[in-house]
Every structure is written in structure tokens, then in C-alpha cells.
Amino acid sequence: MANIKIEKGVSIARNTTDYPLDEMQIGDSFLVSPCDDKERKKIFAACRFYKDKFKSAKFRFTSRVEGDGYRFWKVKVANKKG
């Protein structure tokens, strides 16, 4: 069995990303350049994780190619009728 030591009073590290998702308002964007498809998928995973923290999120993220990179926007979710 592994030598495991129980420790008290150790604070939980905050989950952080390299992307400014917390500071973004609807309509804001950021550019990652250069950025390949693998990096774009990594960023979208961070965006999905961030969005899932909010039960009634009224936003989503989208991206478009810009030069040799990708620009990511925080956009409002359209109201669904029906």
C-alpha cells in the first residue's frame, strides 16, 4: 500500500485557464495566433467547461479563422420559440 499522509488546512487550488473567459462580456472576443486545430479544440473544451458552471447560461462561444489563428467570441444564446 502507498504511503499516504492525511493533511489538514490545505486550500483547494482554483481552476484556472490561460483564457480570459471570466472577464468576457457578451460580444467580447480574443485571438489566439498562431493556433492549430488541436489548440482550438483545447480552447473550446475550456469554454464548454466554463459555460457548464452556469446552470442557466445565456451565452455560448463561437470561433472563426483569422489569419493563422482563431478568434473566439462570447455570444448571446438566441431565444428559442416553440
Side-chain angles (χ1 to χ4, degrees):
M1 182 171 191
N3 186 13
I4 299 173
K5 179 182 174 186
I6 296 173
E7 299 176 285
K8 297 187 184 301
V10 177
S11 63
I12 298 172
R14 196 176 135 225
N15 240 354
T16 60
T17 69
D18 295 333
Y19 315 111
L21 306 177
D22 280 336
E23 295 122 43
M24 294 178 76
Q25 301 295 320
I26 300 295
D28 289 351
S29 68
F30 63 92
L31 177 66
V32 178
S33 179
C35 182
D36 59 16
D37 195 51
K38 183 178 177 182
E39 179 73 10
R40 185 182 72 81
K41 288 177 183 177
K42 178 182 165 189
I43 297 167
F44 260 116
C47 290
R48 269 192 308 276
F49 179 79
Y50 176 78
K51 182 183 175 294
D52 288 347
K53 293 192 313 185
F54 304 95
K55 289 185 179 188
S56 60
K58 304 275 187 207
F59 63 88
R60 64 183 180 86
F61 292 92
T62 192
S63 71
R64 300 289 184 272
V65 173
E66 187 171 311
D68 66 345
Y70 286 89
R71 181 168 295 278
F72 295 82
W73 285 269
K74 184 176 188 178
V75 296
K76 184 177 180 179
V77 174
N79 291 334
K80 295 180 182 179
K81 294 181 181 179

Coordinates of all heavy atoms in Angstrom, one line a residue:
M1 N 0.8 -1.2 0.0 CA 0.0 0.0 0.0 C 0.9 1.2 0.0 O 1.9 1.3 0.6 CB -0.9 0.0 1.2 CG -1.9 1.1 1.3 SD -3.0 0.9 2.6 CE -4.2 2.1 2.2
A2 N 0.4 2.3 -0.7 CA 1.2 3.5 -0.8 C 1.2 4.2 0.5 O 0.3 4.1 1.4 CB 0.6 4.4 -1.8
N3 N 2.3 4.9 0.8 CA 2.4 5.7 2.0 C 1.7 7.0 1.8 O 2.1 7.9 1.2 CB 3.9 6.0 2.3 CG 4.1 6.7 3.6 OD1 3.2 6.7 4.4 ND2 5.3 7.2 3.8
I4 N 0.4 7.1 2.4 CA -0.4 8.2 2.2 C -0.5 9.0 3.5 O -0.8 8.4 4.5 CB -1.8 7.8 1.7 CG1 -1.7 7.1 0.4 CG2 -2.8 9.0 1.6 CD1 -3.0 6.5 -0.1
K5 N -0.3 10.3 3.5 CA -0.4 11.1 4.7 C -1.6 12.0 4.6 O -1.8 12.7 3.6 CB 0.9 12.0 4.8 CG 0.9 12.9 6.0 CD 2.2 13.7 6.0 CE 2.1 14.7 7.1 NZ 3.3 15.6 7.0
I6 N -2.5 12.0 5.6 CA -3.6 12.9 5.6 C -3.1 14.3 6.1 O -2.4 14.4 7.1 CB -4.7 12.4 6.6 CG1 -5.2 11.1 6.0 CG2 -5.8 13.4 6.7 CD1 -6.2 10.4 7.0
E7 N -3.5 15.4 5.4 CA -3.1 16.7 5.7 C -4.4 17.6 5.9 O -5.4 17.4 5.2 CB -2.3 17.3 4.6 CG -1.0 16.5 4.4 CD -0.2 17.0 3.2 OE1 -0.6 16.8 2.1 OE2 0.8 17.7 3.5
K8 N -4.3 18.5 6.9 CA -5.4 19.4 7.2 C -5.0 20.8 6.8 O -3.9 21.2 6.9 CB -5.8 19.3 8.6 CG -6.2 17.9 9.1 CD -6.7 17.9 10.5 CE -7.1 16.5 11.0 NZ -8.1 15.8 10.3
G9 N -6.1 21.6 6.5 CA -5.8 23.0 6.2 C -5.2 23.4 4.9 O -4.8 24.5 4.7
V10 N -5.2 22.5 3.9 CA -4.6 22.8 2.6 C -5.7 23.3 1.8 O -6.8 22.6 1.6 CB -4.0 21.5 2.0 CG1 -3.5 21.8 0.6 CG2 -2.9 20.9 2.9
S11 N -5.6 24.5 1.2 CA -6.7 25.1 0.4 C -6.7 24.5 -0.9 O -5.7 24.0 -1.5 CB -6.5 26.6 0.3 OG -5.3 26.9 -0.3
I12 N -7.9 24.5 -1.5 CA -8.1 23.9 -2.8 C -7.7 24.9 -3.9 O -8.1 26.1 -3.8 CB -9.6 23.6 -3.0 CG1 -10.1 22.5 -2.0 CG2 -9.9 23.1 -4.4 CD1 -11.5 22.2 -2.0
A13 N -6.8 24.5 -4.8 CA -6.4 25.4 -5.8 C -7.5 25.7 -6.8 O -8.4 24.8 -7.1 CB -5.2 24.7 -6.6
R14 N -7.6 26.9 -7.2 CA -8.7 27.4 -8.1 C -8.4 26.9 -9.5 O -7.3 26.9 -9.9 CB -8.7 28.9 -8.1 CG -10.0 29.5 -8.6 CD -10.0 31.0 -8.5 NE -10.5 31.4 -9.8 CZ -10.0 32.4 -10.5 NH1 -9.0 33.1 -10.1 NH2 -10.5 32.7 -11.7
N15 N -9.4 26.4 -10.1 CA -9.3 26.0 -11.5 C -9.1 27.2 -12.4 O -9.9 28.1 -12.4 CB -10.6 25.3 -12.0 CG -10.3 23.9 -12.4 OD1 -9.2 23.4 -12.5 ND2 -11.4 23.1 -12.7
T16 N -8.0 27.3 -13.1 CA -7.8 28.5 -14.0 C -7.5 28.0 -15.4 O -7.1 26.9 -15.6 CB -6.6 29.3 -13.5 OG1 -5.5 28.5 -13.4 CG2 -6.9 29.9 -12.1
T17 N -7.6 28.9 -16.3 CA -7.2 28.6 -17.7 C -6.4 29.7 -18.2 O -6.3 30.8 -17.5 CB -8.5 28.5 -18.7 OG1 -9.0 29.8 -18.8 CG2 -9.5 27.5 -18.2
D18 N -5.8 29.5 -19.3 CA -5.0 30.6 -19.9 C -5.8 31.6 -20.7 O -5.3 32.5 -21.3 CB -3.9 30.0 -20.9 CG -3.0 29.1 -20.1 OD1 -2.7 29.3 -19.0 OD2 -2.4 28.2 -20.8
Y19 N -7.1 31.4 -20.7 CA -8.0 32.2 -21.5 C -8.8 33.1 -20.6 O -9.3 32.8 -19.5 CB -8.9 31.3 -22.3 CG -8.1 30.2 -23.0 CD1 -8.3 28.9 -22.6 CD2 -7.1 30.5 -23.9 CE1 -7.5 27.8 -23.1 CE2 -6.4 29.4 -24.5 CZ -6.5 28.1 -24.1 OH -5.8 27.2 -24.6
P20 N -9.2 34.3 -21.1 CA -9.9 35.4 -20.2 C -11.4 35.2 -20.2 O -12.1 36.1 -20.3 CB -9.5 36.7 -20.9 CG -9.4 36.3 -22.4 CD -8.8 34.9 -22.4
L21 N -11.9 34.0 -20.0 CA -13.3 33.7 -20.0 C -14.1 34.4 -19.0 O -15.2 34.9 -19.2 CB -13.5 32.2 -20.0 CG -12.8 31.3 -21.0 CD1 -13.0 29.9 -20.8 CD2 -13.1 31.8 -22.4
D22 N -13.5 34.5 -17.8 CA -14.2 35.2 -16.6 C -14.4 36.7 -16.9 O -15.4 37.3 -16.4 CB -13.4 35.0 -15.3 CG -13.6 33.7 -14.7 OD1 -14.7 33.1 -14.9 OD2 -12.8 33.3 -13.9
E23 N -13.5 37.3 -17.6 CA -13.6 38.7 -17.8 C -14.4 39.1 -19.0 O -14.7 40.3 -19.2 CB -12.2 39.3 -18.0 CG -11.3 39.1 -16.8 CD -10.0 38.3 -17.1 OE1 -9.4 38.6 -18.2 OE2 -9.7 37.5 -16.3
M24 N -14.8 38.2 -19.8 CA -15.5 38.5 -21.1 C -17.0 38.8 -20.9 O -17.7 38.2 -20.1 CB -15.4 37.3 -22.1 CG -14.0 37.0 -22.5 SD -13.9 35.6 -23.6 CE -14.6 36.3 -25.1
Q25 N -17.5 39.8 -21.6 CA -18.9 40.2 -21.7 C -19.4 39.7 -23.1 O -18.6 39.3 -24.0 CB -19.1 41.7 -21.6 CG -18.5 42.3 -20.3 CD -19.3 41.8 -19.1 OE1 -20.5 41.7 -19.1 NE2 -18.6 41.6 -18.0
I26 N -20.7 39.6 -23.2 CA -21.3 39.2 -24.5 C -20.8 40.2 -25.6 O -20.8 41.4 -25.4 CB -22.9 39.3 -24.4 CG1 -23.4 38.4 -23.4 CG2 -23.5 39.0 -25.8 CD1 -23.2 36.9 -23.6
G27 N -20.3 39.6 -26.7 CA -19.7 40.4 -27.8 C -18.2 40.5 -27.7 O -17.6 40.9 -28.7
D28 N -17.6 40.2 -26.6 CA -16.2 40.3 -26.5 C -15.5 39.1 -27.2 O -16.1 38.0 -27.3 CB -15.7 40.3 -25.0 CG -16.0 41.6 -24.3 OD1 -16.5 42.5 -24.9 OD2 -15.9 41.6 -23.1
S29 N -14.3 39.3 -27.6 CA -13.6 38.2 -28.3 C -12.1 38.3 -27.9 O -11.6 39.3 -27.4 CB -13.7 38.3 -29.8 OG -13.1 39.4 -30.3
F30 N -11.4 37.1 -28.2 CA -10.0 37.1 -28.1 C -9.4 36.3 -29.2 O -10.0 35.4 -29.8 CB -9.5 36.6 -26.7 CG -9.9 35.2 -26.4 CD1 -9.0 34.1 -26.7 CD2 -11.1 34.9 -25.8 CE1 -9.3 32.8 -26.4 CE2 -11.4 33.6 -25.5 CZ -10.5 32.6 -25.8
L31 N -8.2 36.7 -29.6 CA -7.5 36.0 -30.7 C -6.4 35.1 -30.2 O -5.6 35.6 -29.4 CB -6.9 37.0 -31.7 CG -6.1 36.5 -32.9 CD1 -7.0 35.7 -33.8 CD2 -5.5 37.7 -33.7
V32 N -6.3 33.9 -30.7 CA -5.2 33.0 -30.4 C -4.5 32.8 -31.7 O -5.0 32.2 -32.6 CB -5.6 31.7 -29.7 CG1 -4.4 30.8 -29.5 CG2 -6.4 32.0 -28.5
S33 N -3.2 33.3 -31.8 CA -2.5 33.2 -33.1 C -1.0 33.0 -32.8 O -0.5 33.8 -32.0 CB -2.7 34.4 -33.9 OG -2.0 34.4 -35.1
P34 N -0.3 32.1 -33.3 CA -0.9 31.0 -34.2 C -1.7 30.0 -33.4 O -1.5 29.9 -32.2 CB 0.4 30.4 -34.8 CG 1.5 30.6 -33.8 CD 1.1 31.9 -33.1
C35 N -2.6 29.3 -34.1 CA -3.4 28.4 -33.4 C -3.8 27.3 -34.4 O -4.4 27.6 -35.5 CB -4.7 29.1 -32.9 SG -5.8 28.0 -32.0
D36 N -3.5 26.0 -34.1 CA -3.9 24.9 -35.0 C -5.2 24.3 -34.5 O -5.7 24.7 -33.5 CB -2.8 23.9 -35.1 CG -2.4 23.3 -33.7 OD1 -3.2 23.4 -32.7 OD2 -1.3 22.7 -33.6
D37 N -5.7 23.3 -35.2 CA -7.0 22.7 -34.8 C -6.9 22.1 -33.5 O -7.9 22.1 -32.7 CB -7.4 21.7 -35.9 CG -8.9 21.4 -35.8 OD1 -9.7 22.3 -35.7 OD2 -9.2 20.2 -35.7
K38 N -5.8 21.5 -33.1 CA -5.7 20.8 -31.8 C -5.8 21.8 -30.7 O -6.5 21.6 -29.7 CB -4.3 20.1 -31.7 CG -4.1 19.3 -30.4 CD -2.8 18.6 -30.4 CE -2.5 17.9 -29.1 NZ -1.2 17.2 -29.1
E39 N -5.2 23.0 -30.8 CA -5.3 24.0 -29.8 C -6.7 24.6 -29.8 O -7.2 24.9 -28.7 CB -4.3 25.2 -30.2 CG -4.3 26.3 -29.2 CD -3.7 26.0 -27.8 OE1 -3.1 25.0 -27.6 OE2 -3.9 26.9 -26.9
R40 N -7.3 24.8 -30.9 CA -8.7 25.2 -31.0 C -9.6 24.3 -30.2 O -10.5 24.8 -29.4 CB -9.2 25.4 -32.4 CG -10.6 26.0 -32.5 CD -11.1 26.1 -34.0 NE -11.4 24.8 -34.5 CZ -12.6 24.2 -34.3 NH1 -13.5 24.7 -33.6 NH2 -12.8 23.0 -34.9
K41 N -9.5 23.0 -30.3 CA -10.3 22.1 -29.6 C -10.0 22.2 -28.1 O -10.9 22.1 -27.3 CB -10.0 20.6 -30.1 CG -10.6 20.4 -31.5 CD -10.2 19.0 -32.0 CE -10.8 18.8 -33.4 NZ -10.4 17.5 -33.9
K42 N -8.8 22.4 -27.7 CA -8.4 22.6 -26.3 C -9.1 23.8 -25.7 O -9.7 23.8 -24.6 CB -6.9 22.7 -26.2 CG -6.4 23.0 -24.8 CD -4.9 23.1 -24.7 CE -4.5 23.7 -23.4 NZ -3.1 24.1 -23.5
I43 N -9.2 24.9 -26.5 CA -9.8 26.1 -26.1 C -11.3 25.9 -26.0 O -11.9 26.4 -25.0 CB -9.5 27.3 -27.0 CG1 -8.0 27.6 -27.0 CG2 -10.3 28.6 -26.7 CD1 -7.5 28.5 -28.1
F44 N -11.9 25.2 -26.9 CA -13.3 25.0 -26.9 C -13.7 24.1 -25.7 O -14.8 24.3 -25.1 CB -13.9 24.4 -28.2 CG -14.6 25.4 -29.0 CD1 -14.0 25.8 -30.3 CD2 -15.7 26.1 -28.6 CE1 -14.6 26.7 -31.0 CE2 -16.3 27.1 -29.4 CZ -15.8 27.4 -30.6
A45 N -12.8 23.2 -25.3 CA -13.1 22.4 -24.1 C -13.1 23.2 -22.9 O -14.0 23.1 -22.0 CB -12.0 21.3 -24.0
A46 N -12.2 24.2 -22.8 CA -12.2 25.1 -21.7 C -13.4 26.0 -21.7 O -14.0 26.3 -20.6 CB -10.9 26.0 -21.7
C47 N -13.9 26.4 -22.9 CA -15.1 27.2 -23.0 C -16.3 26.4 -22.5 O -17.2 26.9 -21.8 CB -15.3 27.7 -24.4 SG -14.1 28.9 -25.0
R48 N -16.4 25.2 -22.9 CA -17.5 24.3 -22.5 C -17.5 24.1 -21.0 O -18.6 24.2 -20.4 CB -17.5 22.9 -23.2 CG -18.2 22.9 -24.5 CD -18.4 21.5 -25.1 NE -17.1 20.7 -25.1 CZ -16.3 20.8 -26.1 NH1 -16.5 21.5 -27.2 NH2 -15.2 20.0 -26.1
F49 N -16.4 23.8 -20.5 CA -16.3 23.7 -19.0 C -16.7 24.9 -18.3 O -17.5 24.9 -17.3 CB -14.8 23.3 -18.6 CG -14.6 23.1 -17.2 CD1 -15.0 21.9 -16.5 CD2 -14.1 24.1 -16.4 CE1 -14.9 21.8 -15.2 CE2 -13.9 24.0 -15.0 CZ -14.3 22.8 -14.4
Y50 N -16.3 26.1 -18.8 CA -16.6 27.4 -18.2 C -18.1 27.6 -18.3 O -18.8 27.9 -17.3 CB -15.9 28.5 -18.9 CG -16.3 29.9 -18.4 CD1 -15.8 30.3 -17.2 CD2 -17.1 30.6 -19.1 CE1 -16.2 31.6 -16.7 CE2 -17.5 31.9 -18.6 CZ -17.0 32.4 -17.4 OH -17.4 33.6 -17.0
K51 N -18.7 27.3 -19.4 CA -20.2 27.5 -19.6 C -21.0 26.6 -18.8 O -22.0 27.0 -18.2 CB -20.5 27.3 -21.1 CG -22.0 27.5 -21.4 CD -22.3 27.2 -22.9 CE -23.7 27.3 -23.2 NZ -24.6 26.3 -22.6
D52 N -20.5 25.4 -18.6 CA -21.3 24.4 -17.8 C -21.3 24.7 -16.3 O -22.1 24.2 -15.6 CB -20.7 23.0 -18.0 CG -21.0 22.4 -19.4 OD1 -21.8 23.0 -20.1 OD2 -20.3 21.4 -19.7
K53 N -20.5 25.6 -15.8 CA -20.5 26.1 -14.4 C -21.8 26.9 -14.2 O -22.2 27.0 -13.0 CB -19.3 26.9 -14.1 CG -18.0 26.2 -14.1 CD -16.9 27.0 -13.5 CE -16.7 28.4 -13.9 NZ -15.5 29.0 -13.4
F54 N -22.4 27.4 -15.2 CA -23.6 28.2 -15.0 C -24.8 27.5 -15.5 O -25.0 27.1 -16.7 CB -23.5 29.5 -15.8 CG -22.2 30.3 -15.5 CD1 -21.1 30.1 -16.2 CD2 -22.2 31.1 -14.4 CE1 -19.9 30.8 -15.8 CE2 -21.1 31.8 -14.0 CZ -19.9 31.7 -14.7
K55 N -25.8 27.1 -14.6 CA -26.9 26.3 -14.9 C -27.8 26.9 -16.0 O -28.3 26.2 -16.9 CB -27.8 26.0 -13.7 CG -27.1 25.1 -12.7 CD -28.0 24.7 -11.6 CE -27.2 23.8 -10.7 NZ -28.1 23.2 -9.7
S56 N -28.0 28.2 -16.0 CA -28.9 28.9 -16.9 C -28.1 29.8 -17.8 O -28.5 31.0 -18.0 CB -30.0 29.6 -16.2 OG -29.5 30.6 -15.4
A57 N -27.0 29.4 -18.4 CA -26.2 30.2 -19.2 C -26.9 30.8 -20.3 O -27.6 30.1 -21.1 CB -24.9 29.4 -19.6
K58 N -26.8 32.1 -20.5 CA -27.5 32.8 -21.6 C -26.4 33.1 -22.7 O -26.6 34.0 -23.5 CB -28.1 34.0 -21.1 CG -29.1 33.8 -20.0 CD -30.5 33.5 -20.6 CE -31.5 33.4 -19.4 NZ -32.5 32.6 -19.6
F59 N -25.3 32.4 -22.7 CA -24.2 32.6 -23.7 C -23.6 31.3 -24.1 O -23.9 30.3 -23.6 CB -23.1 33.5 -23.0 CG -22.5 32.8 -21.9 CD1 -21.4 32.0 -22.1 CD2 -22.9 33.0 -20.6 CE1 -20.7 31.4 -21.0 CE2 -22.3 32.4 -19.5 CZ -21.2 31.6 -19.7
R60 N -22.9 31.5 -25.2 CA -22.1 30.3 -25.7 C -20.9 30.9 -26.4 O -20.7 32.2 -26.4 CB -22.9 29.5 -26.7 CG -23.3 30.3 -28.0 CD -24.1 29.4 -28.9 NE -24.5 30.1 -30.1 CZ -23.8 30.2 -31.2 NH1 -22.6 29.6 -31.3 NH2 -24.2 30.9 -32.2
F61 N -20.0 30.1 -26.8 CA -18.8 30.6 -27.5 C -18.8 30.1 -28.9 O -19.3 29.0 -29.2 CB -17.5 30.0 -26.8 CG -17.3 30.6 -25.4 CD1 -17.9 30.0 -24.3 CD2 -16.7 31.8 -25.2 CE1 -17.7 30.6 -23.0 CE2 -16.5 32.4 -24.0 CZ -17.1 31.8 -22.9
T62 N -18.2 30.9 -29.8 CA -18.0 30.5 -31.2 C -16.7 31.0 -31.7 O -16.1 31.8 -31.0 CB -19.2 31.1 -32.1 OG1 -19.2 30.5 -33.4 CG2 -19.1 32.6 -32.2
S63 N -16.2 30.5 -32.8 CA -14.9 30.9 -33.3 C -14.9 31.0 -34.8 O -15.7 30.3 -35.5 CB -13.8 29.9 -32.9 OG -13.9 28.7 -33.5
R64 N -14.0 31.7 -35.3 CA -13.7 31.8 -36.8 C -12.2 31.9 -37.0 O -11.5 32.4 -36.2 CB -14.4 33.1 -37.3 CG -15.9 33.2 -37.2 CD -16.6 32.2 -38.1 NE -18.1 32.4 -38.0 CZ -18.9 31.8 -37.1 NH1 -18.4 31.0 -36.2 NH2 -20.2 31.9 -37.1
V65 N -11.8 31.4 -38.2 CA -10.4 31.5 -38.6 C -10.1 33.0 -38.8 O -10.9 33.8 -39.4 CB -10.2 30.7 -39.9 CG1 -8.8 31.0 -40.4 CG2 -10.5 29.3 -39.7
E66 N -8.9 33.4 -38.3 CA -8.4 34.8 -38.6 C -6.9 34.7 -38.8 O -6.2 34.4 -37.8 CB -8.8 35.7 -37.4 CG -8.4 37.1 -37.7 CD -9.0 38.1 -36.6 OE1 -10.1 38.0 -36.2 OE2 -8.2 38.9 -36.2
G67 N -6.5 34.8 -40.0 CA -5.1 34.7 -40.4 C -4.6 33.3 -40.1 O -5.2 32.3 -40.5
D68 N -3.6 33.2 -39.2 CA -3.0 31.8 -38.9 C -3.6 31.4 -37.5 O -3.0 30.5 -36.9 CB -1.5 31.8 -38.9 CG -0.9 32.7 -37.8 OD1 -1.7 33.6 -37.2 OD2 0.3 32.6 -37.5
G69 N -4.7 32.0 -37.1 CA -5.2 31.6 -35.8 C -6.7 31.6 -35.8 O -7.4 31.5 -36.8
Y70 N -7.3 31.6 -34.6 CA -8.7 31.6 -34.4 C -9.1 32.7 -33.4 O -8.4 33.0 -32.5 CB -9.2 30.3 -33.8 CG -9.2 29.1 -34.8 CD1 -8.0 28.3 -34.9 CD2 -10.3 28.8 -35.5 CE1 -8.0 27.3 -35.8 CE2 -10.3 27.7 -36.4 CZ -9.1 27.0 -36.6 OH -9.1 25.9 -37.5
R71 N -10.2 33.4 -33.7 CA -10.8 34.3 -32.9 C -12.0 33.7 -32.2 O -12.8 33.0 -32.9 CB -11.2 35.6 -33.6 CG -11.8 36.7 -32.6 CD -12.0 38.0 -33.3 NE -10.7 38.6 -33.7 CZ -9.9 39.3 -32.8 NH1 -10.3 39.4 -31.5 NH2 -8.8 39.8 -33.2
F72 N -12.1 33.8 -30.9 CA -13.2 33.3 -30.1 C -14.1 34.4 -29.5 O -13.6 35.3 -29.0 CB -12.6 32.4 -28.9 CG -11.9 31.2 -29.4 CD1 -10.6 31.4 -29.8 CD2 -12.5 30.0 -29.5 CE1 -9.9 30.3 -30.2 CE2 -11.8 28.9 -29.9 CZ -10.5 29.0 -30.3
W73 N -15.4 34.2 -29.7 CA -16.4 35.2 -29.2 C -17.3 34.6 -28.1 O -17.6 33.4 -28.2 CB -17.3 35.7 -30.3 CG -16.8 36.6 -31.3 CD1 -16.8 38.0 -31.2 CD2 -16.1 36.3 -32.5 NE1 -16.2 38.6 -32.3 CE2 -15.7 37.5 -33.1 CE3 -15.8 35.1 -33.2 CZ2 -15.1 37.6 -34.3 CZ3 -15.1 35.2 -34.4 CH2 -14.8 36.4 -34.9
K74 N -17.7 35.4 -27.2 CA -18.7 35.0 -26.2 C -20.0 35.7 -26.8 O -20.1 36.9 -26.9 CB -18.4 35.6 -24.8 CG -19.4 35.1 -23.8 CD -18.9 35.6 -22.4 CE -19.8 35.1 -21.3 NZ -19.3 35.6 -20.0
V75 N -21.0 34.9 -27.1 CA -22.2 35.4 -27.8 C -23.4 35.0 -27.0 O -23.5 34.0 -26.3 CB -22.3 34.9 -29.2 CG1 -21.2 35.4 -30.1 CG2 -22.4 33.4 -29.3
K76 N -24.5 35.8 -27.2 CA -25.8 35.5 -26.5 C -26.5 34.4 -27.2 O -26.4 34.2 -28.4 CB -26.6 36.8 -26.6 CG -27.9 36.7 -25.9 CD -28.7 38.0 -26.0 CE -30.0 37.9 -25.3 NZ -30.7 39.2 -25.4
V77 N -27.1 33.5 -26.4 CA -27.9 32.4 -26.9 C -29.2 33.0 -27.4 O -29.9 33.7 -26.7 CB -28.1 31.3 -25.9 CG1 -29.1 30.3 -26.4 CG2 -26.8 30.7 -25.4
A78 N -29.6 32.7 -28.7 CA -30.8 33.1 -29.2 C -32.0 32.5 -28.5 O -31.9 31.3 -28.1 CB -30.9 32.8 -30.7
N79 N -33.1 33.3 -28.3 CA -34.3 32.7 -27.7 C -34.9 31.7 -28.6 O -35.1 32.0 -29.8 CB -35.3 33.8 -27.4 CG -34.8 34.8 -26.3 OD1 -34.0 34.3 -25.5 ND2 -35.2 36.0 -26.3
K80 N -35.3 30.6 -28.1 CA -35.9 29.5 -28.9 C -37.4 29.7 -28.8 O -37.9 29.7 -27.6 CB -35.4 28.2 -28.5 CG -34.0 27.9 -28.7 CD -33.6 26.5 -28.3 CE -32.1 26.3 -28.5 NZ -31.6 25.0 -28.1
K81 N -38.1 29.7 -29.9 CA -39.6 29.7 -29.9 C -40.1 28.3 -30.1 O -39.5 27.6 -30.9 CB -40.1 30.7 -30.9 CG -39.8 32.1 -30.6 CD -40.3 33.0 -31.7 CE -39.9 34.5 -31.4 NZ -40.5 35.4 -32.4
G82 N -41.2 28.0 -29.5 CA -41.7 26.7 -29.9 C -42.3 26.0 -28.7 O -42.8 25.0 -28.5

